[in-house]
Amino acid sequence: MAIVRLKKGFDIHLLGAIPGNDIAFTSPAKSVAVIPDDFHGVIPRMEKKEGEHVIAGEPLYHDKNDEAIKVVSPVSGTVKEVRRGERRHIDAIIITPDGGTEAVTHDTKGNVLDTLLASGLWVMMRQRPYDVVPSSSVRPRDVFVTAFDSAPLAPDLDIVMGDKRQYIGKGIEVLNQLTDGKVYIGVREGQQLDAPGAVVNTFVGPHPAGNAGIQAANVAPVNKGETVWTLDIVTLARIGELFATGKVSHDTVVAIDGEMVQQPRYVKTVMGVDLETVLKNELTNVAKSRIISGNVLTGVKVDIDNWLQAPYRHITIIPENSKPDEFMGWASVNPNRFSLYRTFTTWLRGRSKPVSMDSRIKGGERAIVRTGEYDAMLPMDIYGEFLIKAIISGDIDKMEQLGIYEIAPEDFALAEFADTSKLELQHIVRVGLDKLRAEMS
């Protein structure tokens, strides 16, 4: 087992961490939704219509460009609504569960690739370059699996995985059949994992050490013309379970945490559950809370009448603009105010003490200034500031030379947090990747 030490990055410690490992059970979901935007690179073509019945694991839609790639229903029930937005874009497919236990059973004796594509688990993986759902026609050089999440208030993936841990070996066996290279698994220091058939590396360092792309960049970087897949250990265990039992399990353990949660805890529910079910009596003040499906760096702001979005394991709730008229503003001498650059005195008490943060950006967008902020938060062998400038200017040659094939928007999430220019770096990277993909198609 190799040890990889990362010095760049930063751990953000927020109030509202989960104090233990106990898992509570929620009420049955009132509704479940699949959000097509969660699976970037897949253009949905519906296979089910409103009012039709589906069983768990049955396809709801397939990719317009690759009919073999399916997105399936997490529950048995009725397709209540196919909600559309501008230009008939599918915003959500809403299902009313009927409580049935019937589920699709897959033939695990046939072609491994076909089974995985039909199961719906394929869309839970990502491909570098472009950070999209993998193409079924491209065999990856390697596969990278992250066994931990280092984001603020992130759940312990060992707890989320639960008893599916027993299927890790089978999952590795399956992935080894789909690549000519190796299956790499990244664990944090002290984490125990039995992973026969995989290369296990220990990553020591702050966030974003838990990002699969960061781990890949520090073990075997992606070059032009190469393709790798990334996924988390929970998805790996689900793949193993599929080929061991013939069925996909759509239950999930979700961390509900953050400063505005009455009792931060883990709950067991189903993928895509409505937030009203899992957040019932959990919020201290709904009107003054920002609900985030995911973590505070890469998650999506949602309302309580929305649904849990992929990867279906985290809900963070922080104050919504709690102090719009803070006394003295940026010149405040408040000893509890967070400071990344030692602007305030908070750093004197240490970086590990949890702090309170709300949704304010605290500044407006301004020109990029060479401060080294991006590089300090990005443990990859690339020049982050120059890459962002190349993306903004649309210079494809420069983007390639500066390492765009290695990155995903989530890799720049921490740099976006630290950025004094207040640029939406993740959005910029997403636009750049999509443009490059379109040019190369």
Side-chain angles (χ1 to χ4, degrees):
M1 182 183 294
I3 298 178
V4 181
R5 299 187 183 277
L6 304 179
K7 295 182 179 180
K8 295 180 179 181
F10 188 81
D11 284 328
I12 304 171
H13 298 281
L14 299 178
L15 292 173
I18 299 176
N21 299 335
D22 294 338
I23 301 174
F25 289 85
T26 65
S27 303
K30 297 178 182 177
S31 66
V32 168
V34 173
I35 313 295
D37 285 348
D38 289 343
F39 312 114
H40 200 81
V42 173
I43 301 175
R45 175 163 286 178
M46 294 299 299
E47 295 190 14
K48 291 291 182 179
K49 299 178 180 178
E50 291 183 0
E52 289 189 339
H53 184 266
V54 292
I55 62 175
E58 189 174 4
L60 293 171
Y61 64 87
H62 62 260
D63 182 12
K64 179 181 177 181
N65 297 321
D66 188 347
E67 190 173 342
I69 298 177
K70 308 285 187 179
V71 176
V72 304
S73 173
V75 294
S76 295
T78 303
V79 179
K80 177 184 177 182
E81 179 185 357
V82 178
R83 184 171 295 176
R84 295 182 182 269
E86 295 181 1
R87 296 186 175 184
R88 293 186 56 77
H89 175 270
I90 300 176
D91 293 336
I93 303 163
I94 305 167
I95 303 161
T96 303
D98 60 11
T101 58
E102 187 180 4
V104 172
T105 301
H106 297 273
D107 177 16
T108 59
K109 304 297 183 182
N111 185 280
V112 170
L113 179 63
D114 292 341
T115 301
L116 195 54
L117 287 165
S119 70
L121 290 176
W122 184 271
V123 298
M124 301 300 292
M125 301 189 294
R126 292 295 177 269
Q127 166 192 299
R128 306 281 173 112
Y130 312 128
D131 187 46
V132 294
V133 172
S135 168
S136 62
S137 61
V138 178
R139 194 172 177 88
R141 186 203 70 193
D142 297 301
V143 181
F144 292 88
V145 183
T146 180
F148 68 102
D149 191 340
S150 57
L153 298 178
D156 185 334
L157 296 190
D158 286 335
I159 297 175
V160 176
M161 183 168 46
D163 58 6
K164 293 181 177 58
R165 170 183 287 268
Q166 62 183 306
Y167 300 114
I168 288 176
K170 187 65 176 179
I172 295 171
E173 178 186 325
V174 171
L175 292 183
N176 273 321
Q177 296 180 51
L178 298 174
T179 177
D180 295 323
K182 300 176 181 179
V183 176
Y184 293 94
I185 299 182
V187 300
R188 61 159 45 108
E189 190 173 20
Q191 186 176 9
Q192 300 298 318
L193 188 70
D194 184 19
V199 178
V200 180
N201 297 305
T202 299
F203 288 84
V204 181
H207 182 68
N211 289 9
I214 297 295
Q215 296 173 9
N218 285 275
V219 173
V222 183
N223 299 309
K224 184 177 181 179
E226 297 178 338
T227 299
V228 302
W229 293 349
T230 62
L231 62 152
D232 61 38
I233 195 72
V234 180
T235 302
L236 175 67
R238 291 184 190 280
I239 291 172
E241 183 181 23
L242 164 65
F243 284 89
T245 67
K247 294 185 178 181
V248 177
S249 172
H250 295 99
D251 63 306
T252 184
V253 174
V254 181
I256 302 176
D257 50 29
E259 186 178 344
M260 301 301 287
V261 179
Q262 291 190 25
Q263 184 182 354
R265 57 180 178 168
Y266 291 99
V267 298
K268 190 167 186 177
T269 183
V270 67
M271 293 180 177
V273 63
D274 63 291
L275 295 182
E276 284 185 321
T277 295
V278 292
L279 296 181
K280 186 178 181 181
N281 301 322
E282 292 288 349
L283 304 186
T284 57
N285 189 323
V286 177
K288 295 183 178 180
S289 298
R290 171 166 291 198
I291 305 172
I292 302 168
S293 185
N295 64 67
V296 293
L297 296 177
T298 63
V300 179
K301 176 187 175 183
V302 293
D303 296 321
I304 198 166
D305 59 353
N306 290 153
W307 299 269
L308 178 66
Q309 295 186 226
Y312 310 116
R313 62 173 184 245
H314 195 190
I315 301 172
T316 314
I317 305 163
I318 61 175
E320 180 73 87
N321 194 12
S322 61
K323 299 176 181 177
D325 302 312
E326 185 176 6
F327 178 65
M328 296 180 68
W330 63 268
S332 170
V333 294
N334 183 350
N336 295 319
R337 185 167 182 175
F338 174 78
S339 175
L340 181 63
Y341 301 111
R342 300 189 177 185
T343 308
F344 305 100
T345 59
T346 315
W347 65 273
L348 291 171
R349 66 181 185 180
R351 296 292 196 184
S352 60
K353 186 173 181 180
V355 296
S356 173
M357 291 191 203
D358 60 19
S359 61
R360 289 176 293 168
I361 298 176
K362 298 182 180 178
E365 185 174 315
R366 22 180 113 77
I368 297 177
V369 180
R370 285 209 59 201
T371 59
E373 293 170 332
Y374 300 175
D375 295 337
M377 299 294 159
L378 190 63
M380 303 173 76
D381 189 19
I382 64 173
Y383 295 104
E385 292 175 358
F386 290 103
L387 177 55
I388 290 296
K389 289 181 179 180
I391 295 173
I392 293 173
S393 64
D395 190 333
I396 290 179
D397 289 338
K398 281 288 186 184
M399 288 157 58
E400 290 183 336
Q401 293 169 12
L402 291 168
I404 194 170
Y405 292 112
E406 294 186 55
I407 67 169
E410 67 174 5
D411 298 330
F412 275 81
L414 189 64
E416 183 176 306
F417 167 79
D419 185 18
T420 52
S421 297
K422 307 299 180 184
L423 298 179
E424 295 183 350
L425 300 183
Q426 293 180 81
H427 175 70
I428 291 171
V429 171
R430 180 76 272 164
V431 171
L433 290 170
D434 289 346
K435 180 177 181 179
L436 185 63
R437 183 174 178 231
E439 289 286 338
M440 296 302 175
S441 298

